[in-house]
Amino acid sequence: MVLESLIPALESQNTGKKLPPHVKSIIADKIQQVKLIDATPIGINIRSTVATYTGVHDELRKIYAKTEDAKLYGYKAGDFSYNTGKLRCQTCDGTGEISLDVQFLPDVDIPCPDCKGSRYSKAARKILHTAKNGKKYSLPDLMSMSVDEILKISDDLKVVKQKLKVLHELGLGYLTLGEETPGLSGGRIIATGTPRDIKNNSNSLTGKFI
């Protein structure tokens, strides 16, 4: 009923189109957006992590680009991308893993010996952000921490804290930002996509169906 009637009807109401033939009427004026969060696979890209999938990584890259250390070395937000940035590990090309060619057997993936799976070069650890607790953290440090751990030190990171708080409330505070999304179960993938869909300055009411 939800997939075949309610959601199509709400979408029709919001776009001004005709209601589905089997729906006589619907009154939900306050719902201006409709989002269906299902178990659709997000692919097997090992470069996708909890941080990138939720949109937190983009915010963190901007934050680290504004630090004094980044300005000193001339780094921009794009340099903090572990996919294409200057600060990605050159040995594993930012994947955090390398493949070993084992004769007569399938290749074996192991953590990168240089970055230890962090995906970043040693230079990235020199760029530090000072948290409200007075301690300094690099972006690789944060990527290795859990959602709950970062929430305790992110009072000055409004957007980051807002997105991570959603994961915490969904019971996913134990996930680390650097955890690969292909390794997550279907249910956890659904949940991690929720913060990504949040619009920080939106005054409209969004109907979400899981």
Side-chain angles (χ1 to χ4, degrees):
M1 180 181 292
V2 172
L3 293 177
E4 296 180 2
S5 301
L6 180 56
I7 292 178
L10 288 171
E11 290 176 337
S12 296
Q13 173 188 261
N14 295 335
T15 58
K17 297 181 180 179
K18 291 184 178 180
L19 293 174
H22 58 285
V23 178
K24 293 184 177 180
S25 65
I26 183 169
I27 301 175
D29 296 336
K30 293 185 179 180
I31 298 180
Q32 299 175 20
Q33 297 183 60
V34 179
K35 291 185 180 296
L36 173 63
I37 304 173
D38 57 20
T40 302
I42 61 175
I44 56 174
N45 185 1
I46 62 171
R47 292 184 179 275
S48 176
T49 60
V50 171
T52 57
Y53 194 62
T54 57
V56 168
H57 196 253
D58 287 340
E59 295 298 327
L60 290 175
R61 290 194 295 114
K62 295 174 185 176
I63 290 167
Y64 274 89
K66 295 178 181 179
T67 62
E68 292 301 320
D69 292 332
K71 294 176 181 178
L72 177 64
Y73 291 100
Y75 293 130
K76 305 296 183 183
D79 295 321
F80 290 90
S81 168
Y82 58 71
N83 291 320
T84 59
K86 294 179 182 178
L87 294 172
R88 73 184 187 280
C89 176
Q90 297 297 321
T91 302
C92 64
D93 197 30
T95 63
E97 300 177 346
I98 61 171
S99 294
L100 294 181
D101 185 7
V102 183
Q103 284 189 330
F104 310 115
L105 292 172
D107 290 350
V108 178
D109 293 331
I110 63 171
C112 175
D114 287 344
C115 70
K116 312 300 181 185
S118 74
R119 301 170 183 259
Y120 284 100
S121 65
K122 293 179 180 179
R125 296 190 178 276
K126 297 180 181 179
I127 313 301
L128 303 174
H129 168 75
T130 304
K132 277 292 183 70
N133 62 4
K135 294 183 179 180
K136 295 184 177 182
Y137 301 89
S138 67
L139 184 50
D141 290 334
L142 295 188
M143 291 292 285
S144 67
M145 295 170 66
S146 71
V147 169
D148 285 344
E149 289 174 329
I150 296 175
L151 279 175
K152 295 177 182 179
I153 62 171
S154 60
D155 287 340
D156 59 329
L157 310 177
K158 183 178 179 180
V159 176
V160 171
K161 188 168 185 176
Q162 181 181 15
K163 291 178 179 292
L164 295 184
K165 190 175 180 181
V166 176
L167 291 182
H168 169 77
E169 292 173 348
L170 290 170
L172 299 176
Y174 60 89
L175 293 177
T176 62
L177 291 192
E179 185 164 352
E180 298 175 359
T181 52
L184 301 180
S185 66
R188 289 192 293 173
I189 288 175
I190 294 173
T192 53
T194 303
R196 179 190 56 185
D197 294 328
I198 292 178
K199 295 189 177 180
N200 304 317
N201 298 316
S202 176
N203 293 320
S204 62
L205 181 62
T206 300
K208 292 195 174 185
F209 302 90
I210 301 178

